[in-house]
Amino acid sequence: MAKNSEDWQETRKIYLAVSTLCFLLGTFFFIRVITGSYIIQLSDLVVCENLITSEGAKFKETKGKHSQKWIEFKCIDNKSTFKIIDYDYRCVVDDDILNAIKAGDTISLSILKSDIDDFDNDTACEIHSLVKNGKEYLDFNCRNKEDNGDGERAFILLFAITIMTGIVFLFAKKPKFFDHVNPKFIIWIVIIVLFFATLSGCQNNKFDYDPSLPYPELKVGERWDDKYDNRGLQNGIVKGDFLYVNTINISEGKEFLYCLNLETKKVTWKNEVDLYASQPVCISQNRIYYVSYVGSIYCFSAVGKKLWSLKPDVYHMADQLKTVNDNLVLTNANHEVFEFDKNSGKIVTQYVITE
């Protein structure tokens, strides 16, 4: 009897040690989640444009204890090997990238500012954005959600173990029930159930892309980060805490320019624009200027009020708006240049670029 009592006291010490360790580890993951340590913000990235690939994208894999999968490619006049880590971008369809990125393609990509020393060096450089012909191939929002979800799952499981092992420790005398059922068995069942419950919850919250369905129209005040992948929000321009983006081919054939809050993850304002919403905005003196693919120009205030708009007499393929002094400058596919007064939208001059 005495020996059984001594054995139980030693068992209690083990449960206390496990409970303490899991509490410390769970606290570590909890702090990282609430402080956003798993989230990469757009402001953390550096964009590298007009790179030309020297070879097509290739799938790589290492096996064994530290197995890893990734996609890599190289660019002309750059020593880096650019990598897309498969675990980070679990939402990405590998074949989309492997089939799209070929030798000689002009691309832009983004890397972390903290990794800038790896750029153009004989080392691997992980990327977090890959754009070709205006199409983004990396689901940035999903990457953040997956990594943050891993952290949430970790602290939930660790805190659950802390509570259960702590309860076992609190029994000064061994309960008769434990003579028939080992408490480890109960703890493992609870852990397995919690693991699949949290895994299922994360999967249900993911954006489910179905190419046969139009993208949803966002409403002002609602969250945007769990409703779109990067194929729906395009041509992002960051100014302060706001991201200005546009959409193509959403419900009912409408096109919108959105102002999205990067801190609250909510839609600040939106305005419907002419076909097609395929150009980035131009920001000058707290005014947002936008031109659609067919050449319609819009001017919005910082709070989203439309100050003026202008539709061309003849639709043409428009390029991005630029500001020169007090004028807006627009060049179209016919090499025609139009200058507009920024305040009124009235045309100031126009001319044709000749070679």
Side-chain angles (χ1 to χ4, degrees), residues 45-63:
L45 299 174
V46 176
V47 179
C48 308
E49 298 181 317
N50 298 321
L51 298 175
I52 300 176
T53 55
S54 59
E55 58 185 34
K58 299 177 181 178
F59 180 81
K60 299 286 185 176
E61 181 179 9
T62 58
K63 296 184 178 181

Side-chain angles (χ1 to χ4, degrees), residues 17 24 28 97 152 280 290:
L24 294 175
F28 169 77
I97 297 176
E152 291 177 350
Y290 182 76

